[in-house]
Amino acid sequence: MDDRSKDLCFYRLEKARKCLKSAQILVEAEDYSGAANRSYYSIFHCIRSLLALDGVDFSKHAGVMAYFQKNYVKQEIFEREYSKILTEAFEVRSESDYDDYYIISKEEVETQISNAKFFFDGILKYIETLFPEKSFS
């Protein structure tokens, strides 16, 4: 693996961290739709951090999601729970962003943020095992 792939992985992981932080700020500001969006994108950037290490990327979210499920969940690198969290976050984000009549509650978005944090922490732990010399704090 080259340094460029590692750097891209770390950059995307930092992007995921910032999205998670934004989601927490938005829920405090009572922008629940925005918080759901940012929590999904935190998960999305986590997955793309892994894809950087594999040297692949996709132009559509469906490709990113399918690759993660095939190469990480099905291979039992990550538990099935990660797949469920990803699918639910994508659906909530899509409905929240595109359905004019979809209203997400504070409780629902707090669940989404909690799931995104779980997802981020799991990906971070995995990446830290690959690069023990790198500090992510």
Side-chain angles (χ1 to χ4, degrees):
M1 172 184 329
D2 62 15
D3 287 342
R4 186 174 178 268
S5 296
K6 288 194 290 189
D7 290 344
L8 185 56
C9 168
F10 301 155
Y11 169 78
R12 289 176 175 173
L13 194 60
E14 183 57 29
K15 234 176 145 172
R17 182 191 314 269
K18 288 179 181 178
C19 285
L20 186 55
K21 184 176 181 180
S22 293
Q24 294 164 333
I25 290 168
L26 288 168
V27 81
E28 290 172 16
E30 298 181 7
D31 180 358
Y32 304 141
S33 178
N37 177 288
R38 294 292 83 198
S39 63
Y40 165 73
Y41 275 99
S42 176
I43 292 169
F44 181 74
H45 292 306
C46 281
I47 295 170
R48 289 191 70 229
S49 72
L50 297 173
L51 271 60
L53 297 175
D54 294 346
V56 298
D57 205 3
F58 300 90
S59 60
K60 298 189 184 273
H61 288 238
V64 171
M65 294 167 63
Y67 183 89
F68 174 74
Q69 291 171 345
K70 178 182 176 188
N71 292 283
Y72 287 90
V73 176
K74 192 171 184 180
Q75 299 301 318
E76 298 182 350
I77 296 169
F78 292 98
E79 302 151 3
R80 285 193 170 293
E81 186 173 0
Y82 285 83
S83 181
K84 292 176 187 174
I85 288 170
L86 170 60
T87 301
E88 182 181 331
F90 178 77
E91 290 171 1
V92 168
R93 193 273 312 180
S94 294
E95 290 175 355
S96 186
D97 281 356
Y98 301 115
D99 185 346
D100 292 331
Y101 301 105
Y102 181 80
I103 299 172
I104 189 167
S105 71
K106 181 178 182 180
E107 293 76 23
E108 289 172 302
V109 81
E110 286 174 339
T111 297
Q112 293 302 310
I113 292 170
S114 176
N115 287 344
K117 182 167 179 8
F118 171 84
F119 203 100
F120 177 85
D121 290 344
I123 300 291
L124 177 63
K125 183 178 177 183
Y126 175 77
I127 291 173
E128 285 176 336
T129 65
L130 299 176
F131 306 103
E133 74 284 357
K134 173 78 174 158
S135 172
F136 291 96
S137 335

